[in-house]
Amino acid sequence: MSVIPDLTTERLVLHAWTPEEIDAVITGKRLPHWAEDFPAEGDKALAGLFEKHPGWYGAYGHRQIIEHASGQVVGAIGLFTPQPDGAVEFGYGVAPSHQGKGYASEAARAMIVHALTMPGTEVVFAKVSLDNPASLRVLEKAGLIPWTGLELEPGLTAFRTP
């Protein structure tokens, strides 16, 4: 497995997952560098999919959101498999104890910039539930715009790069 460089922002480091860390999430083992309320249920579900998607360890893959100040993992963010039309979806989550600090938007901006440097990437997007106003604001603060005309499950909307 190749070494994936960290993505660094003013307050965060986006660091690639290791197989050992994914195994810890799956087995419920607590690691000392995790925030007390990390991982969340969504992180556990995602970790279970790494075996089916080994590319998620690669450059397009998923990363831990690490707070510079504490060195703790406070969330996760990642790119999903690129589509033939050049669209790349991403998803994210921040531990409840670290929400409201702008970390999700900061991590999203870094991931979007990174994704747009990948060969063949034309658009970066995220799907979000209409009943999650905080996540809607995250995507707007990250510079994304509503993506209309997509066929989505009821209750979902999408935002994309301009």
Side-chain angles (χ1 to χ4, degrees):
M1 179 170 22
S2 62
V3 175
I4 305 305
D6 290 344
L7 303 177
T8 304
T9 69
E10 182 180 339
R11 301 177 299 160
L12 305 171
V13 175
L14 307 182
H15 182 73
W17 285 95
T18 66
E20 295 77 22
E21 290 164 324
I22 291 298
D23 186 60
V25 173
I26 292 169
T27 61
K29 179 182 176 189
R30 295 273 322 139
L31 296 180
H33 63 288
W34 289 351
E36 187 175 309
D37 53 350
F38 181 86
E41 286 306 313
D43 300 307
K44 294 173 186 174
L46 191 67
L49 295 173
F50 267 78
E51 187 174 314
K52 288 183 180 179
H53 303 280
W56 287 1
Y57 288 111
Y60 272 105
H62 292 262
R63 290 177 159 85
Q64 301 165 78
I65 301 172
I66 301 171
E67 183 182 53
H68 275 303
S70 68
Q72 289 187 321
V73 176
V74 299
I77 189 165
L79 300 171
F80 297 101
T81 306
Q83 302 303 307
D85 64 359
V88 177
E89 182 179 1
F90 76 100
Y92 55 88
V94 174
S97 63
H98 288 77
Q99 291 175 358
K101 298 179 180 185
Y103 287 170
S105 296
E106 188 173 328
R109 284 190 296 271
M111 189 58 79
I112 292 164
V113 168
H114 170 69
L116 289 170
T117 68
M118 304 302 282
T121 300
E122 299 293 327
V123 64
V124 182
F125 73 101
K127 296 176 195 168
V128 62
S129 174
L130 290 168
D131 65 1
N132 188 345
S135 198
L136 292 167
R137 283 192 305 277
V138 163
L139 297 175
E140 290 171 343
K141 289 178 182 179
L144 301 181
I145 59 173
W147 195 359
T148 57
L150 289 181
E151 291 186 32
L152 300 170
E153 296 174 33
L156 291 181
T157 190
F159 281 72
R160 60 165 283 165
T161 49

